[in-house]
Amino acid sequence: MFRLPRHAALINRMGFNNVGVQKFLANLAQQGRPCPIGINIGKNRDTPVDRAVEDYRTAMQAVYAHADYITVNISSPNTPGLRDLQQQENLEELLRALKAEQAALAGKYGRYVPIALKIAPDLDNAQIGAIASLVLAHKFDAVIATNTTIARPGVEHEPLANQTGGLSGRPLKRLSTEVIRKLHAHLQGKVPIIGVGGVENADDAWEKLEAGADLVQIYTGIIYEGPGIVQNIVQGLFDRMRTAGCDNLFDAVAHARKRVSR
């Protein structure tokens, strides 16, 4: 992982390095459940794309009982071949298999655990449209937009910009917001969007919500600002809500989207 502090950005190529799912679950059990737990799954580095579904199903079977939601990651730039799963023919098979697996596991454990598809910011309009259609067709529970970018917007001349890996933080903000906006145009609120990418303050979070996000995640902002960033963002969104004369954030965002669409 490399820091680009002048741009409040990171480049990482850590991939899915881990101690294996069984050791992970043992570690997780020691932590208790102090908050909702989202668990990220993806294919192994050495698994070819045509066998990726097996890895995702195995991972989902292992973590289902321990998760409040599961992220189906098909967009990390650091796992060879992973982003190929965003291609329509590969994604169709994966989503169908995972929805079937989710149904079977919900019956087994007596609880429904939502699954969210995490996509890249480096997608063209046709790819975004195809992903949206498949998410709707297979009734996925959410889309996370977006992962890190392989582009280097605004940091091209930084000494570390040539490092291989995904770029996150402030330079990603515009790219991820555009993907959210285009995705929302297709999904029309039928599938929740979790917006992530370059959120440093309440204004950034509001921008994601206004573009079509229903929830917001942060990562790089915590690295640079610390955990206090969460309280600052929540307070800022509360202030916006009150200024808009609304009793809740949902109404405030709905009013803002109507105003933008006029």
Coordinates of all heavy atoms in Angstrom, one line a residue, residues 18-30:
N18 N -4.9 -13.5 2.8 CA -5.6 -13.9 4.1 C -5.2 -15.2 4.5 O -4.4 -15.9 3.9 CB -7.2 -13.9 3.8 CG -7.6 -14.9 2.8 OD1 -7.9 -16.1 3.2 ND2 -7.7 -14.6 1.6
V19 N -5.6 -15.6 5.7 CA -5.2 -16.9 6.3 C -6.1 -18.0 6.0 O -6.0 -19.1 6.6 CB -5.1 -16.7 7.8 CG1 -4.0 -15.7 8.2 CG2 -6.4 -16.2 8.4
G20 N -7.0 -17.9 5.1 CA -8.0 -18.9 4.7 C -9.3 -18.8 5.5 O -9.3 -18.2 6.6
V21 N -10.3 -19.3 4.9 CA -11.7 -19.0 5.4 C -11.9 -19.5 6.8 O -12.5 -18.9 7.7 CB -12.8 -19.4 4.4 CG1 -12.8 -20.9 4.3 CG2 -14.1 -18.8 4.8
Q22 N -11.4 -20.7 7.1 CA -11.6 -21.3 8.4 C -10.9 -20.6 9.5 O -11.5 -20.3 10.6 CB -11.2 -22.8 8.4 CG -12.0 -23.7 7.5 CD -13.5 -23.5 7.7 OE1 -14.0 -23.5 8.9 NE2 -14.3 -23.5 6.6
K23 N -9.7 -20.2 9.3 CA -9.0 -19.4 10.3 C -9.6 -18.0 10.4 O -9.7 -17.5 11.5 CB -7.5 -19.2 9.9 CG -6.6 -18.4 10.8 CD -6.6 -19.0 12.2 CE -5.6 -18.2 13.1 NZ -5.6 -18.8 14.5
F24 N -10.1 -17.4 9.3 CA -10.8 -16.2 9.4 C -12.0 -16.3 10.3 O -12.2 -15.4 11.1 CB -11.2 -15.7 8.0 CG -12.3 -14.7 7.9 CD1 -12.1 -13.4 8.3 CD2 -13.6 -15.1 7.5 CE1 -13.1 -12.5 8.3 CE2 -14.6 -14.2 7.5 CZ -14.4 -12.9 7.9
L25 N -12.8 -17.3 10.1 CA -14.0 -17.5 10.9 C -13.6 -17.7 12.4 O -14.4 -17.2 13.3 CB -14.8 -18.6 10.4 CG -15.5 -18.4 9.0 CD1 -16.1 -19.7 8.5 CD2 -16.4 -17.2 9.0
A26 N -12.6 -18.3 12.7 CA -12.1 -18.5 14.1 C -11.8 -17.2 14.7 O -12.1 -16.8 15.8 CB -11.0 -19.5 14.1
N27 N -11.0 -16.3 13.9 CA -10.7 -15.0 14.4 C -11.9 -14.1 14.6 O -12.0 -13.4 15.5 CB -9.7 -14.3 13.3 CG -8.4 -15.0 13.3 OD1 -8.0 -15.7 14.2 ND2 -7.6 -14.8 12.2
L28 N -12.8 -14.2 13.6 CA -14.1 -13.5 13.7 C -14.9 -13.8 14.9 O -15.4 -12.9 15.6 CB -14.9 -13.7 12.4 CG -16.2 -12.9 12.3 CD1 -15.9 -11.4 12.3 CD2 -17.0 -13.3 11.1
A29 N -14.9 -15.1 15.3 CA -15.7 -15.6 16.4 C -15.2 -15.0 17.7 O -15.9 -14.7 18.7 CB -15.7 -17.1 16.5
Q30 N -13.9 -14.7 17.8 CA -13.3 -14.1 19.0 C -13.7 -12.6 19.2 O -13.6 -12.1 20.3 CB -11.8 -14.2 18.9 CG -11.2 -15.6 18.9 CD -9.7 -15.6 18.7 OE1 -9.0 -14.6 18.9 NE2 -9.2 -16.8 18.4

